[in-house]
């Protein structure tokens, strides 16, 4: 697989006091943003059913989330994030068993690969960063995103980005520590916005995914 950062995250249901708690913990509100995400797949959901998630974010370009090694089990997800278009195209062709075209970006291969938009929604996000007490100064802060989708679903996520698989356990420890400080129960999970969107608006597609995944979280 092409090289990309490993995203380790834990989703949770935010409450009315979550932002206040983040401030108490020394968190910094980096920005409040609104953006549209559009997800693409084949009619059979060949990507999602194989744990690949192709997204175009308004103003940010394309991203393909590829299932990580998940070396540690628990209420979290681990994905490699590809954002360079040549890497995204190469990975899509590998998953869908198609020949890699000579040139062109992601948009150029949607048609040939049979990929169509399966979901599109707007999210309002409050993006926070938190440095845990006692953390090394050079250590990157944890990110906490509090999202509300335009179809009325709210979800939070605590996230760390690491370069190597060996860094995942330490990142998870910090994620679980901060989650606990935010009042998230040890085994609490929350479905991703995309999964809730499919459940509400494309129930047949949602059922297709349920056939593949039992209770595993998705991005």
């Amino acid at each position: 697989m092409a090289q990309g950062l490993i995203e380790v995250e834990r989703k949770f249901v935010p409450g009315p006091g979550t932002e206040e708690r983040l401030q108490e913990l020394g968190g910094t509100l980096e920005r409040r943003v609104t953006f549209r995400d559009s997800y693409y797949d084949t009619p059979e959901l060949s990507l999602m059913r194989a744990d690949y998630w192709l997204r175009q974010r308004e103003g940010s370009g394309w991203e393909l989330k590829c299932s990580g090694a998940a070396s540690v089990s628990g209420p979290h997800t681990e994905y490699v994030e590809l954002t360079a278009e040549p890497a995204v195209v190469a990975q899509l062709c590998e998953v869908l068993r198609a020949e890699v075209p000579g040139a062109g970006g992601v948009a150029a291969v949607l048609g040939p690969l049979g990929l169509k938009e399966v979901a599109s929604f707007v999210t309002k996000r409050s993006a926070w960063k938190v440095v845990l007490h006692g953390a090394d100064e050079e250590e990157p802060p944890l990110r906490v995103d509090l999202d509300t989708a335009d179809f009325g679903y709210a979800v939070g996520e605590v996230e760390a980005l690491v370069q190597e698989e060996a860094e995942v356990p330490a990142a998870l420890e910090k994620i679980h520590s901060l989650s606990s400080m935010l009042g998230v129960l040890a085994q609490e999970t929350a479905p991703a916005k995309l999964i809730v969107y499919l459940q509400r608006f494309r129930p047949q597609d949602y059922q297709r995914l349920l056939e593949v995944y039992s209770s595993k979280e998705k991005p």
Side-chain angles (χ1 to χ4, degrees), residues 7 18 27 39 46 54 58 71 83 94 97-100 104 111-112 119 125 135 149 151 157 174 195 199 217-218:
E7 173 203 65
T18 301
Y39 288 85
S46 302
L54 178 63
E58 188 178 48
S71 52
T83 53
E94 183 180 321
R97 297 177 182 172
E99 286 189 22
V100 180
R125 167 171 292 176
F151 52 90
E157 55 188 48
K174 293 169 197 158
I195 298 302
Q199 185 179 17
E217 255 189 298
K218 294 295 114 204

Side-chain angles (χ1 to χ4, degrees), residues 106-127:
V106 176
V109 300
L110 293 178
L113 293 178
L115 297 168
K116 295 182 178 180
E117 184 183 286
V118 294
S120 184
F121 49 84
V122 174
T123 296
K124 290 183 178 179
R125 167 171 292 176
S126 300

Side-chain angles (χ1 to χ4, degrees), residues 183-196:
V184 181
L185 299 176
Q187 292 301 313
E188 179 184 328
T189 59
K193 299 186 295 290
L194 172 60
I195 298 302
V196 175

Side-chain angles (χ1 to χ4, degrees), residues 13-217:
V13 179
T18 301
E19 290 202 343
E20 186 179 338
R21 182 64 180 141
L22 282 166
Q23 289 177 322
E24 290 172 0
L25 294 170
T28 305
L29 175 62
E30 290 199 297
R31 62 193 179 280
R32 295 190 192 273
V33 291
T34 301
F35 51 84
R36 176 176 289 278
D37 283 333
S38 299
Y39 288 85
Y40 290 78
D41 209 331
T42 66
E44 304 79 26
L45 304 185
S46 302
L47 293 177
M48 294 180 188
R49 290 169 69 188
D51 215 358
Y52 289 83
W53 309 80
L54 178 63
R55 180 188 75 200
Q56 184 182 38
R57 175 162 292 171
E58 188 178 48
S60 300
W62 293 93
E63 178 185 89
L64 181 65
K65 285 192 177 187
C66 316
S67 181
S71 52
V72 184
S73 63
H76 66 276
T77 56
E78 182 184 327
Y79 284 90
V80 176
E81 297 183 329
L82 301 180
T83 53
E85 290 206 30
V88 171
V89 169
Q91 191 64 44
L92 287 173
C93 291
E94 183 180 321
V95 176
L96 298 173
R97 297 177 182 172
E99 286 189 22
V100 180
V106 176
V109 300
L110 293 178
L113 293 178
L115 297 168
K116 295 182 178 180
E117 184 183 286
V118 294
S120 184
F121 49 84
V122 174
T123 296
K124 290 183 178 179
R125 167 171 292 176
S126 300
W128 294 75
K129 67 177 181 181
V130 181
V131 177
L132 289 178
H133 182 65
D136 191 307
E137 282 186 15
E138 295 179 6
E139 225 171 83
L142 291 173
R143 288 170 20 194
V144 180
D145 292 331
L146 303 177
D147 291 353
T148 302
D150 61 1
F151 52 90
Y153 177 62
V155 65
E157 55 188 48
V158 183
E159 177 186 297
L161 291 172
V162 298
Q163 303 275 354
E164 305 287 341
E165 185 66 33
E167 299 173 82
V168 169
L172 266 178
E173 196 174 317
K174 293 169 197 158
I175 287 171
H176 291 324
S177 176
L178 178 54
S179 298
S180 177
M181 293 177 198
L182 291 173
V184 181
L185 299 176
Q187 292 301 313
E188 179 184 328
T189 59
K193 299 186 295 290
L194 172 60
I195 298 302
V196 175
Y197 178 96
L198 293 175
Q199 185 179 17
R200 292 186 186 179
F201 304 111
R202 298 181 71 119
Q204 287 182 310
D205 285 342
Y206 176 72
Q207 287 300 323
R208 277 182 177 170
L209 292 183
L210 277 191
E211 290 167 12
V212 180
Y213 306 109
S214 50
S215 58
K216 191 178 178 185
E217 255 189 298

